[in-house]
Amino acid sequence: MAQQYRFDKEKASRRPGITPLKDAIDQMLEKYRLRNRFDQSYVVAHWDKIMGSAIGSRTQKVYIKDRVLFLQIESAPLRSELVRAKFKIIELINREMKSDLVEDVVFI
């Protein structure tokens, strides 16, 4: 019978002085002041996941500049609905990013 490997977190240990990759990347983003730009590109890349596929498929352009989210929506009824839900969009994005990345939304 074949044995299966099971990872035991309690028995696993890191050597002192070794930094996990996630922590190293976070330190690099903070050191070179790239955190804000990284978060902006994350929102653009994951727009479908954050807002859902129905809104994501009807969005032509998404970008953030100076803490303002710019959206180009091809559907007029959807645009008017999103104008009314502007604060909900801001809340969703800021909750996803765990920071105050967006202050306003502009529809172009």
Side-chain angles (χ1 to χ4, degrees):
M1 218 172 183
Q3 272 189 327
Q4 293 199 1
Y5 174 76
R6 286 201 174 140
F7 179 74
D8 188 6
K9 192 172 184 176
E10 292 177 8
K11 291 182 181 178
S13 63
R14 290 197 168 103
R15 287 181 268 157
I18 301 222
T19 305
L21 184 60
K22 180 185 182 309
D23 294 340
I25 291 173
D26 285 339
Q27 290 173 4
M28 181 198 69
L29 290 173
E30 295 300 326
K31 174 85 174 167
Y32 293 108
R33 297 186 189 124
L34 297 172
R35 170 65 64 195
N36 192 25
R37 191 73 184 130
F38 177 78
D39 290 345
Q40 291 175 6
S41 63
Y42 180 88
V43 169
V44 172
H46 294 91
W47 179 249
D48 290 342
K49 178 186 168 245
I50 295 170
M51 294 303 294
S53 62
I55 295 173
S57 65
R58 291 177 178 87
T59 305
Q60 293 176 337
K61 288 185 182 178
V62 178
Y63 64 93
I64 300 173
K65 184 175 184 179
D66 298 328
R67 299 174 58 105
V68 177
L69 175 67
F70 292 90
L71 298 172
Q72 184 175 0
I73 308 289
E74 62 185 34
S75 171
L78 179 62
R79 182 179 325 149
S80 65
E81 187 69 30
L82 292 179
V83 165
R84 284 182 251 141
K86 183 190 282 191
F87 295 109
K88 182 71 174 173
I89 294 170
I90 294 169
E91 180 185 329
L92 281 171
I93 292 172
N94 289 339
R95 187 180 329 134
E96 176 76 21
M97 300 311 300
K98 298 178 181 123
S99 68
D100 291 333
L101 182 66
V102 176
E103 290 179 347
D104 195 16
V105 178
V106 175
F107 296 92
I108 53 175

